[in-house]
Amino acid sequence: MEFELRGNELRIIARDWTSFTTIEDSREMMEFLMRKVIEMPEVERVTISEYREIEYSEEQVRMLKEIANIYNYFVKEKGSLSLDFFPQHHQTTKMLIDLLLSDPILCYVKASMYILKDPNSRYAKEFLIPLKSMLEKTRLIIEVKDKLSRYIPGSREVYRTIFIPTMRPVFMLSRFSLFPPKNSELIERYKLKDGSEVNIYKVAGKVRLLYFVITKEFFLSEEKYSLLNEARAILMERKVEEKEIRDLESVRKIFIERGRSIIKDIVIRKRLPISPREIEELAEILVRYTVGFGVLEILLADDRVQDIYVNAPPGKSPIFINHADYGECETNLIVTLDEAEAWATRFRLYSGRPLDEANPVLDTEITLPIGRARVAAVTRTLSSDGLGFAFRRHRESPWTFPLFIKAKYFNPLFAGLMSFIIDGGRTVLVAGGRSSGKTSLLSSMILELMRRYRIIVLEDTPELPVEIYRNLGYNVLHLKSRSVITHVETELAPEEALRTSLRLGDSALIVGEVRSKESTVLFEAMRVGALANLVAGTIHGESAYGVYDRVVHDLGLVPTSFKALDIIVIANVIRSPDGLRMFRRVVEVVEIRKKWKEDPMVEGAFVPLMTYSAKDDSLKPTDILLNGESEVLNAISKRVREWHGAWDRVWDNILLRAKIKQTIVEFAEKFNRPEILEAEWVVSANEAFHLISEEVSREVGYIDSKIVYERWVDWFKKRMGVE
């Protein structure tokens, strides 16, 4: 069997090995590895390569080295295998020393049995008892001692609870664990759309939960692994012309067609019993691990994964994720340096932005068949250990108000209120901490706009699903400005990009995130009324005053310009009492009053319209809202003849909008039609509401909520094809 030492890593080539190739399953492999560790004490990691690469961590190799040290002591120092060392017990000694290398647990059990037979003999005192005592101090025996009552001599089952290597098929660059740690408690199990299974474990002694994903490529047959290895080699030899590399989607299409053809040819040539459906699956896997993003795509397929973190240096620690329900979790996946470098190359290629020591930060976005994600990549000189990544996952289809109601992010009344404010063309900032859902909420607000309005979206890193808006029929102009982090000089500064957008005509303006000097231009546009429609964006801030403090003291806005803002929506992450679960919630809606001079907090400028009740897990309207004392809502009503001075009709319209959103959610559950919560249905339902409202107003002289609702329900049921 071939082997090589790469630094402190021992690589064993076991492609021709006829028995099991893992140390937990094979006595022969354990003995071979033990002897190599004895010969080369500098070894810290071990990789066994066959049709998979099986890697044992430093911690697991240290357990083997403890046993190897015992072997060295008795063989090299004590000379236990020499013929003059208790010659009458030579066979027993040789058997125990051999077991020490191939099956140390059985060695310990047998030594204990021999001691019981004759504990006072010189052989027991000088060899058996010291051997047993030294083994009892090793991590291996400490770990299994409480399991020995159920131990079957010679069985390797107990080793499988101790040695849990990470693995990767040769065609993959990432590694994974196939089994969770011992003493893990399963908290939840669920399936992903592609058939992968996710298990959430609580690991003994750890606060952080384990996100353990199992996907089909982890369990392919040796025949299929071999087929994919051969197909990958052929596929990577075929060059892709520069004209074909237009974007990631184009490259994937080219490679999946070629991969399918290559796999089919191999299957026919080798007469393999693989069906057309299996060929399709293998082609998808092949593309995922060639021009795709490997295990990253598995994680992005999970709607409940919000963030993905790959820390530098790659290969040393697992991927971490931020889960919608369980917060930060460790995964069973490890990205190798080779894969991290491949990702970095693709991000540079598809974004057109640099990532090198002179430009150590890259912000971009990737769009895959299973979802979208914002990418932040760092390398030297910023990251001393090299490449590191953070991915913010976006939903494949944008969030909608009904989807948020179903998820309890906010309630129908909030949806009705915000729908009214958006139609009223006010200025809104969505504030909150990381992972609070700010961008998702902003995206859903865009879908509340009627499609007759032009929309300008300004972002430094694309996060909003502009192409989906266009496919839905929206008139959208997307502007990309220079990132305040990366400072790519070929891109326009954010404040200049925003000034440009103001010269592009009357439009709703959406700013992905207010980060720096563009805040001055944005608030100036709000103040002078340069835009006659919704102006909205996101900003980091935990409260209304926190937003004021950020834009005035951190970003340099003139305090009185803050009056141009009408509404601040605060979103936050709320934890369960045990700390294991997390919930995203809108926790406050605050309007900004205008009659203050120096300090908006002291002078009562921040007026809550809705606040979160932890007891009811829901937003509650304040008396200010219920009594019609909102200056923002009254300003909107002044523009509509039938609402001017008629708070009852304004409130009635807000409740009507809320009722329609709630009805969509109820119909989705009643008729088992989850698709009606999605963007296409919601946009159509919103516009039907406006058309029906206009029709009723012409007929009866005002918007009669009862008639509007009844006609809207009739329309929606017909659209659904139900009675």
Side-chain angles (χ1 to χ4, degrees):
M1 185 159 37
E2 298 178 26
F3 65 91
E4 60 178 331
L5 188 64
R6 297 182 183 176
N8 58 10
E9 178 192 14
L10 175 64
R11 292 184 62 84
I12 300 171
I13 313 302
R15 293 190 182 94
D16 298 326
W17 192 260
T18 55
S19 65
F20 292 113
T21 53
T22 59
I23 59 175
E24 61 269 22
D25 290 320
S26 169
R27 292 177 58 171
E28 293 81 4
M29 181 59 75
M30 179 176 273
E31 181 176 354
F32 179 85
L33 179 55
M34 283 281 204
R35 292 192 183 280
K36 294 305 169 191
V37 168
I38 291 168
E39 292 173 18
M40 298 175 281
E42 65 269 35
V43 170
E44 293 182 3
R45 291 185 296 115
V46 172
T47 300
I48 300 171
S49 179
E50 23 117 289
Y51 64 92
R52 303 169 299 176
E53 294 227 325
I54 303 161
E55 182 171 306
Y56 295 91
S57 66
E58 294 179 19
E59 182 181 355
Q60 294 179 79
V61 172
R62 276 197 295 270
M63 294 171 70
L64 298 178
K65 291 174 88 170
E66 288 180 342
I67 305 297
N69 290 337
I70 296 174
Y71 178 90
N72 281 335
Y73 173 78
F74 282 106
V75 173
K76 294 183 179 180
E77 295 183 31
K78 298 287 287 184
S80 300
L81 289 184
S82 64
L83 292 175
D84 58 350
F85 185 88
F86 292 101
Q88 69 275 30
H89 297 290
H90 183 70
Q91 291 302 319
T92 301
T93 304
K94 185 176 186 309
M95 180 266 293
L96 289 174
I97 293 295
D98 288 344
L99 284 177
L100 195 58
L101 297 182
S102 63
D103 195 344
I105 295 173
L106 183 57
C107 175
Y108 172 78
V109 170
K110 284 188 172 290
S112 302
M113 291 169 57
Y114 289 134
I115 291 169
L116 288 175
K117 289 181 181 178
D118 193 0
N120 297 317
S121 68
R122 182 167 164 248
Y123 181 63
K125 291 178 180 179
E126 294 188 16
F127 176 66
L128 295 176
I129 292 175
L131 173 63
K132 179 176 181 285
S133 177
M134 292 175 75
L135 282 170
E136 282 179 335
K137 294 175 183 177
T138 64
R139 174 80 180 278
L140 177 62
I141 299 303
I142 291 170
E143 290 281 350
V144 303
K145 208 167 183 183
D146 61 344
K147 301 182 179 72
L148 293 182
S149 60
R150 304 182 300 276
Y151 173 68
I152 300 172
S155 168
R156 305 292 295 184
E157 187 65 35
V158 68
Y159 287 106
R160 296 185 192 109
T161 66
I162 303 300
F163 294 100
I164 305 175
T166 58
M167 302 183 184
R168 73 173 183 91
V170 175
F171 67 86
M172 291 174 61
L173 294 176
S174 293
R175 304 195 307 271
F176 55 87
S177 298
L178 274 178
F179 306 101
K182 59 183 181 300
N183 300 325
S184 300
E185 176 189 350
L186 181 64
I187 294 177
E188 186 181 354
R189 172 178 291 142
Y190 59 93
K191 291 274 190 182
L192 304 182
K193 285 180 287 188
D194 67 351
S196 300
E197 182 179 280
V198 173
N199 296 302
I200 306 293
Y201 288 101
K202 185 172 181 6
V203 181
K206 285 191 175 184
V207 176
R208 184 187 290 119
L209 299 178
L210 175 64
Y211 177 97
F212 198 91
V213 63
I214 302 170
T215 189
K216 55 194 169 192
E217 54 258 47
F218 295 177
F219 289 99
L220 296 177
S221 65
E222 185 173 347
E223 183 178 62
K224 288 182 178 178
Y225 278 137
S226 177
L227 170 59
L228 283 170
N229 291 338
E230 184 176 348
R232 185 181 191 278
I234 297 170
L235 184 62
M236 298 309 287
E237 286 176 1
R238 299 186 182 181
K239 301 292 184 184
V240 179
E241 299 295 329
E242 188 173 344
K243 63 182 180 181
E244 296 176 320
I245 309 179
R246 296 189 301 274
D247 52 45
L248 180 57
E249 185 180 356
S250 301
V251 173
R252 287 183 80 99
K253 285 180 180 177
I254 292 167
F255 269 71
I256 201 160
E257 288 173 7
R258 292 181 180 179
R260 187 188 299 119
S261 175
I262 291 168
I263 292 171
K264 188 175 180 180
D265 288 345
I266 297 172
V267 167
I268 293 171
R269 173 164 46 86
K270 293 189 172 183
R271 298 182 179 179
L272 300 174
I274 294 177
S275 68
R277 183 181 60 80
E278 290 174 308
I279 290 175
E280 249 350 277
E281 287 182 353
L282 291 174
E284 290 282 352
I285 293 171
L286 182 62
V287 169
R288 182 183 295 170
Y289 295 99
T290 50
V291 295
F293 290 90
V295 295
L296 177 61
E297 297 188 15
I298 297 171
L299 297 174
L300 289 176
D302 187 350
D303 291 340
R304 296 163 74 179
V305 169
Q306 297 177 332
D307 297 280
I308 302 167
Y309 308 111
V310 178
N311 294 329
K316 289 291 186 181
S317 59
I319 298 175
F320 295 90
I321 60 106
N322 186 25
H323 195 277
D325 298 322
Y326 298 104
E328 188 172 303
C329 301
E330 184 177 322
T331 75
N332 61 319
L333 307 172
I334 299 175
V335 173
T336 62
L337 177 60
D338 289 341
E339 180 146 36
E341 290 176 343
W343 287 358
T345 299
R346 288 171 198 147
F347 295 145
R348 286 192 293 263
L349 176 64
Y350 295 120
S351 70
R353 289 177 167 177
L355 179 64
D356 49 40
E357 291 191 5
N359 302 274
V361 182
L362 185 151
D363 268 332
T364 188
E365 184 191 54
I366 54 171
T367 301
L368 300 167
I370 39 72
R372 301 179 303 113
R374 176 180 173 177
V375 181
V378 295
T379 189
R380 295 182 175 89
T381 50
L382 178 62
S383 170
S384 59
D385 291 319
L387 285 167
F389 303 93
F391 304 90
R392 167 62 58 84
R393 186 191 180 280
H394 300 305
R395 201 169 181 271
E396 187 176 355
S397 179
W399 280 89
T400 65
F401 278 16
L403 278 168
F404 275 134
I405 292 170
K406 186 175 186 297
K408 295 186 177 181
Y409 185 55
F410 53 66
N411 58 20
L413 181 57
F414 171 89
L417 175 64
M418 289 309 300
S419 172
F420 187 88
I421 290 170
I422 290 165
D423 275 347
R426 309 314 291 182
T427 57
V428 180
L429 279 183
V430 180
R434 281 185 54 79
S435 299
S436 59
K438 300 186 300 295
T439 302
S440 298
L441 178 52
L442 180 65
S443 177
S444 69
M445 288 166 59
I446 293 173
L447 299 176
E448 294 299 306
L449 288 165
M450 285 187 275
R451 283 180 281 199
R452 70 181 183 183
Y453 298 121
R454 183 169 181 250
I455 303 170
I456 295 177
V457 174
L458 175 63
E459 300 179 280
D460 59 2
T461 299
E463 290 189 85
L464 295 168
V466 171
E467 198 56 40
I468 294 177
Y469 301 144
R470 288 174 180 152
N471 292 337
L472 289 167
Y474 281 96
N475 176 11
V476 185
L477 176 62
H478 189 217
L479 302 179
K480 187 175 80 167
S481 65
R482 181 192 308 157
S483 169
V484 297
I485 300 173
T486 57
H487 303 290
V488 178
E489 293 302 323
T490 56
E491 298 174 340
L492 203 61
E495 63 271 21
E496 290 303 319
L498 185 51
R499 284 194 180 95
T500 301
S501 72
L502 300 179
R503 295 194 291 269
L504 293 173
D506 182 23
S507 308
L509 177 61
I510 307 297
V511 180
E513 183 168 345
V514 179
R515 302 180 196 269
S516 61
K517 294 179 182 178
E518 80 275 11
S519 64
T520 304
V521 181
L522 177 63
F523 278 85
E524 182 66 16
M526 293 176 179
R527 190 177 67 83
V528 301
L531 298 157
N533 214 303
L534 174 73
V535 180
T538 67
I539 190 168
H540 283 281
E542 302 289 339
S543 65
Y545 187 80
V547 173
Y548 171 81
D549 189 50
R550 175 158 170 71
V551 298
V552 171
H553 299 122
D554 295 345
L555 304 182
L557 183 73
V558 176
T560 52
S561 293
F562 190 76
K563 296 178 183 180
L565 182 60
D566 292 318
I567 296 290
I568 298 177
V569 177
I570 308 294
N572 269 322
V573 176
I574 296 171
R575 294 183 180 273
S576 61
D578 59 10
L580 295 180
R581 287 182 174 270
M582 298 173 62
F583 310 95
R584 295 187 303 171
R585 296 288 187 266
V586 171
V587 296
E588 196 171 30
V589 180
V590 179
E591 82 170 20
I592 312 301
R593 295 280 171 92
K594 315 306 180 188
K595 295 178 181 178
W596 56 275
K597 294 181 179 180
E598 296 181 2
D599 189 325
M601 176 66 81
V602 174
E603 298 176 62
F606 301 128
V607 178
L609 300 182
M610 298 189 77
T611 57
Y612 177 76
S613 165
K615 179 181 178 182
D616 299 315
D617 189 24
S618 183
L619 285 163
K620 297 292 185 182
T622 63
D623 289 342
I624 297 291
L625 176 58
L626 292 173
N627 296 332
E629 297 170 3
S630 163
E631 292 184 0
V632 170
L633 298 182
N634 286 323
I636 294 172
S637 69
K638 287 177 182 178
R639 297 181 183 178
V640 181
R641 186 181 58 188
E642 68 177 76
W643 289 344
H644 186 47
W647 169 248
D648 288 347
R649 288 189 177 179
V650 172
W651 183 241
D652 193 47
N653 192 264
I654 291 171
L655 294 179
L656 171 61
R657 294 165 186 260
K659 189 175 181 181
I660 284 174
K661 306 296 185 192
Q662 179 63 29
T663 300
I664 295 174
V665 177
E666 290 172 354
F667 279 10
E669 295 174 353
K670 179 179 178 180
F671 298 104
N672 192 24
R673 296 281 296 275
E675 73 276 8
I676 69 175
L677 302 173
E678 300 292 344
E680 181 181 357
W681 281 81
V682 171
V683 171
S684 295
N686 289 343
E687 294 202 346
F689 160 72
H690 288 294
L691 292 171
I692 292 169
S693 295
E694 184 181 28
E695 177 185 278
V696 171
S697 182
R698 283 198 309 266
E699 291 176 8
V700 302
Y702 68 99
I703 300 174
D704 186 309
S705 294
K706 183 179 179 182
I707 298 174
V708 171
Y709 179 73
E710 289 173 352
R711 291 187 186 180
W712 180 89
V713 169
D714 288 340
W715 172 87
F716 198 70
K717 284 184 175 180
K718 286 177 183 176
R719 173 82 193 273
M720 290 178 64
V722 298
E723 292 299 328

